[in-house]
Amino acid sequence: MSEEELSESIKFEAEQYVPFDIEDVNIDFQILGPTEEPGQMDVMLVAVKKDVIGEYVTVAREAGLNPVVMDVDAFALSNMYEVNYEIEPGRNIALVNIGAATINLNVVKNGIPIFTRDSSVGTNTVTEALQKEFNLPYEVAERLLRGQEVEGASPEDAHPVMVSAYEEILAEVVRSIEYFQTTALHEELSEILLSGGGALLSGLPQALAERAGVEVKVAEPFRNIIIPKRFDRAYIEEVAPLAAVAVGLALRRPLDR
Ligand SMILES: Nc1ncnc2c1ncn2[C@@H]1O[C@H](COP(=O)(O)OP(=O)(O)OP(=O)(O)O)[C@@H](O)[C@H]1O
Ligand SMILES: [Mg+2]
């Protein structure tokens, strides 16, 4: 099928994969390439409920912005990866983004996403553990989590509490990797490229490497991006892993594929 023919039939094809009424979702697709079976091709399908899209559009408009492209975290991550890293043929790289309330995992091979999974665990579990242990309000616990001294607790006091709270996050990432290995017919993972707030938590990248048994690198989303002098380079470097999804989104242009 050509792209045009596919566009016509995709809605019908999509119905069997989308667990909602097809009229309630917006769908888009990308042809990934031919499969080993002759006459067949792999197509990546994305479906988002229209009311979810509506909420995001409203937020952007209320902020005075005009949204032109909407993307999914996992694919924004692979665009960030593509612009900053060389493709390493045959290697499976897991782009893992640990946010406040979500973890996105996207395994890319030869520059193409081959497996994605989102989970609703994130750095909030660490913040909550600190709140409980030291009886702190959220904002104060967040400062402690970033390694600052707060009234009632030092980073040294916080360390063991944080490390035990990492457990839930690590277990979830490992679970996603295991799903990948089962669905991808036992393909091995070559490396994890870690981003999101989780990448900035003291000792978390090392703990993940140990738990997952694979090398973990912290993402550098601005590696190949020229930053104008008027921006504070030191600050950008410090928080760069937080910008992985934002960089991937900013690379998109209307109508591109
Ligand atoms: N230096 C830092 N600055 C900001 N947040 C940090 C820092 N270090 C660790 N964090 C943690 O990272 C979290 C934010 O990470 P991130 O920006 O990836 O999440 P998010 O995209 O807002 O959340 P989600 O993806 O779950 O919607 C904060 O809530 C905080 O707990
Ligand atoms: Mg996020």
Side-chain angles (χ1 to χ4, degrees):
M1 252 183 221
S2 70
E3 180 144 349
E4 271 141 52
E5 286 167 328
L6 189 61
S7 252
E8 305 255 303
S9 62
I10 197 85
K11 204 164 145 183
F12 172 73
E13 288 287 329
E15 266 185 310
Q16 52 185 316
Y17 300 103
V18 176
F20 306 107
D21 188 329
I22 207 76
E23 298 307 324
D24 292 344
V25 298
N26 278 10
I27 55 177
D28 198 5
F29 67 90
Q30 170 88 47
I31 298 172
L32 296 178
T35 60
E36 271 148 36
E37 257 174 272
Q40 301 279 312
M41 60 185 173
D42 279 328
V43 173
M44 179 157 67
L45 177 73
V46 174
V48 183
K49 289 186 95 176
K50 286 176 182 166
D51 46 6
V52 172
I53 292 183
E55 279 171 32
Y56 281 109
V57 169
T58 306
V59 169
R61 293 223 170 106
E62 279 177 6
L65 299 166
N66 176 33
V68 290
V69 177
M70 187 163 284
D71 208 340
V72 180
D73 284 334
F75 303 141
L77 285 175
S78 58
N79 286 329
M80 179 285 294
Y81 179 73
E82 193 180 306
V83 82
N84 288 299
Y85 295 86
E86 299 292 317
I87 289 175
E88 300 173 69
R91 293 189 89 217
N92 295 316
I93 315 287
L95 310 176
V96 174
N97 181 50
I98 303 176
T102 339
I103 300 174
N104 319 109
L105 170 111
N106 183 353
V107 181
V108 292
K109 183 179 195 174
N110 304 326
I112 292 176
I114 57 170
F115 178 84
T116 63
R117 182 170 186 261
D118 288 348
S119 353
S120 28
V121 183
T123 63
N124 282 344
T125 59
V126 184
T127 316
E128 281 157 21
L130 291 173
Q131 280 185 266
K132 223 184 260 169
E133 179 73 21
F134 302 107
N135 196 18
L136 300 171
Y138 179 84
E139 289 73 22
V140 180
E142 272 282 299
R143 279 196 279 127
L144 186 57
L145 166 144
R146 290 173 205 184
Q148 293 169 24
E149 177 95 39
V150 302
E151 207 186 307
S154 70
E156 289 71 43
D157 301 330
H159 189 72
V161 180
M162 290 176 62
V163 169
S164 69
Y166 292 169
E167 207 38 50
E168 201 178 328
I169 296 175
L170 301 178
E172 194 54 45
V173 176
V174 167
R175 198 168 302 139
S176 290
I177 293 171
E178 284 166 358
Y179 273 118
F180 157 70
Q181 283 165 336
T182 343
T183 44
L185 300 170
H186 308 286
E187 286 239 26
E188 284 306 311
L189 202 61
S190 316
E191 179 187 312
I192 292 174
L193 192 68
L194 186 63
S195 61
L200 294 173
L201 294 185
S202 166
L204 193 141
Q206 295 79 351
L208 179 58
E210 231 164 79
R211 271 301 292 276
V214 57
E215 188 186 5
V216 173
K217 289 187 188 150
V218 173
E220 297 173 66
F222 298 106
R223 212 175 196 215
N224 282 344
I225 290 178
I226 298 161
I227 299 173
K229 286 221 167 55
R230 64 194 155 93
F231 292 102
D232 179 349
R233 180 165 267 286
Y235 174 72
I236 288 177
E237 262 160 33
E238 197 186 308
V239 299
L242 291 172
V245 168
V247 166
L249 288 173
L251 293 166
R252 296 287 312 272
R253 290 292 173 264
L255 304 175
D256 67 9
R257 283 285 186 185

